[in-house]
Amino acid sequence: MELPVRKAVRTMHAYVPGAQPESTDLLKLNTNENPYPPSPKVMEALGRISTEALRRYPPPTAARLQAQIAELHDLNADQVILLNGSDEGLALCTRCFGEFRERVGFLDPSYSLYPVLGDIAESSMIRFPLNEDFSWTLPDTLDVELFCLTRPNAPSSISLPLDEVREAARRCTGVLLVDEAYADFAEDNAVSLVNEFPNVLVSRTFSKSYSLAGLRMGYLLGSAPLIDALHRIKDSYNTDAIAQQLASEALADQEWMRGNAEKVKRTRRQLTQDLQARGFQVLPSQTNFLFAQVPASRDARQIFEALSAKQVYLRYFPGERTGNYLRITVGTDEEMQRFLQRLDELLS
């Protein structure tokens, strides 16, 4: 019996996440997790989770957290939707904006989930290639139903200037989704554009700066009509009660989050210098990772594989544009010294 799997699903290339080895004796620098723990208030709240909270369905819109996020960003609650990880928001957008099989645009290279979601929706995918230095020359028009703009970009770590994002919003004929997973490690963000343009959405996650990647919680900000459309198609209870409570505590402790982000940025600056001293060319990062071109006499895949054999996990993206680069999550200072020690063993 041939199973009725859609042709688009049978023929698509699935998203490949970074390796999640179970061993504890490793250096994991491949999935951009925060090396520091979440706010102590999160763990305190976890101990207060009641059986009643588990027995009942959670608030369907996460109203308390929704209000907190709105206040943080100086928006109204109807401009916020909570998500089971920010990736759920990306998937909802491909289902919500434009008719079936219409156009989804994104930068190339960028977050490799976008073409996967486009394939699932059988969208016409339009890639906008980056320049040789991974900058972007904005075209005269962005004639698509949905344009996914990662800012700062991944894997390049570069952040498009805010004025260019504003101009992209003007030129976009559909919805401009600004994916800001790494915004708290950057110099600025695009939240102000939400009230400036009715077609702008901004995506955020608790996975990076709030150290809650295991929780799966994110949100989208946008005009009330866009958010209302997304609420219409989301799962009834898409975020669970535990995640809502813990994310609320994390969000309330902005001082802790900002302190962790500053530590990551300090280490990022030092690691950039250390890699440059070893002959790497490092792109100017606004994220919690570096995208570094290996020295001319070296092979990035070989370094990646050799480090993996030593239980040091980085991220490698094959391809003409990215094949000479390694993506390195910024860890603690001690972790970075261990990484550089292993790297020196290979380079020598």
Side-chain angles (χ1 to χ4, degrees):
M1 175 183 176
E2 184 177 347
L3 299 176
V5 178
R6 285 172 49 213
K7 180 181 177 181
V9 176
R10 292 198 312 269
T11 58
M12 65 181 282
H13 294 284
Y15 175 71
V16 180
Q20 295 283 14
E22 294 186 2
S23 170
T24 56
D25 185 25
L26 54 82
L27 191 52
K28 192 171 182 299
L29 307 174
N30 64 331
T31 49
N32 301 339
E33 294 148 332
N34 198 313
Y36 301 105
S39 166
K41 296 179 180 179
V42 171
M43 300 310 295
E44 293 170 7
L46 185 60
R48 297 194 302 269
I49 299 294
S50 67
T51 56
E52 189 74 359
L54 300 180
R55 186 180 68 81
R56 294 183 179 275
Y57 285 107
T61 64
R64 175 189 171 195
L65 183 56
Q66 185 183 38
Q68 278 184 272
I69 292 170
E71 182 179 4
L72 176 67
H73 296 296
D74 197 22
L75 298 171
N76 299 320
D78 62 1
Q79 293 180 279
V80 181
I81 182 172
L82 273 298
L83 306 163
N84 184 4
S86 59
D87 286 349
E88 184 195 17
L90 306 180
L92 288 176
C93 287
T94 61
R95 292 160 48 194
C96 189
F97 304 120
E99 300 302 325
F100 195 53
R101 298 180 180 173
E102 292 203 6
R103 298 160 298 180
V104 174
F106 47 86
L107 302 179
D108 184 23
S110 191
Y111 186 21
S112 54
L113 181 63
Y114 299 144
V116 175
L117 296 175
D119 278 341
I120 294 171
E122 299 185 36
S123 303
S124 297
M125 290 178 289
I126 303 176
R127 300 170 186 265
F128 291 77
L130 296 175
N131 300 322
E132 190 66 27
D133 62 354
F134 295 96
S135 64
W136 185 38
T137 301
L138 184 65
D140 292 337
T141 183
L142 295 174
D143 189 15
V144 291
E145 280 65 52
L146 174 67
F147 190 88
C148 301
L149 177 62
T150 312
R151 182 184 187 267
N153 195 24
S156 72
S157 79
I158 295 174
S159 189
L160 189 70
L162 187 59
D163 284 345
E164 293 186 28
V165 181
R166 180 177 285 105
E167 188 58 34
R170 293 192 182 100
R171 299 184 189 185
C172 187
T173 59
V175 172
L176 178 68
L177 170 59
V178 187
D179 188 350
E180 290 199 326
Y182 303 98
D184 290 320
F185 304 103
E187 294 177 357
D188 60 19
N189 63 72
V191 171
S192 63
L193 303 185
V194 166
N195 281 334
E196 191 173 342
F197 296 95
N199 65 329
V200 168
L201 287 168
V202 173
S203 174
R204 291 292 184 88
T205 179
F206 284 84
S207 296
K208 309 301 182 183
S209 57
Y210 289 97
S211 307
L212 292 173
L215 200 65
R216 311 312 303 136
M217 180 67 79
Y219 58 92
L220 279 168
L221 309 171
S223 64
L226 289 183
I227 297 300
D228 176 67
L230 293 166
H231 271 293
R232 290 168 182 260
I233 64 170
K234 80 171 183 67
D235 289 344
S236 300
Y237 305 99
N238 63 325
T239 62
D240 67 73
I242 296 175
Q244 290 182 25
Q245 291 190 42
L246 301 191
S248 177
E249 295 295 338
L251 195 77
D253 198 349
Q254 288 292 301
E255 183 179 0
W256 182 273
M257 183 276 285
R258 297 292 176 195
N260 281 351
E262 286 301 319
K263 286 189 286 187
V264 168
K265 288 192 282 187
R266 285 196 298 269
T267 304
R268 182 181 71 191
R269 289 191 291 269
Q270 183 60 53
L271 180 60
T272 298
Q273 296 173 13
D274 291 337
L275 288 171
Q276 289 172 336
R278 290 162 171 81
F280 286 75
Q281 295 184 37
V282 184
L283 297 185
S285 175
Q286 291 282 297
T287 62
N288 68 337
F289 62 86
L290 299 181
F291 200 51
Q293 185 176 24
V294 301
S297 60
R298 302 290 180 169
D299 183 273
R301 182 190 289 273
Q302 290 181 0
I303 293 176
F304 166 76
E305 292 176 347
L307 285 172
S308 296
K310 292 177 175 289
Q311 298 283 71
V312 178
Y313 292 88
L314 309 181
R315 195 76 193 269
Y316 175 69
F317 299 92
E320 183 178 353
R321 297 294 309 280
T322 57
N324 291 328
Y325 288 79
L326 296 171
R327 197 191 72 184
I328 308 159
T329 301
V330 177
T332 65
D333 290 340
E334 187 272 336
E335 287 174 330
M336 296 299 89
Q337 288 305 309
R338 287 170 57 199
F339 160 65
L340 291 170
Q341 181 180 356
R342 298 289 176 84
L343 181 64
D344 288 341
E345 292 170 3
L346 291 178
L347 297 180
S348 63

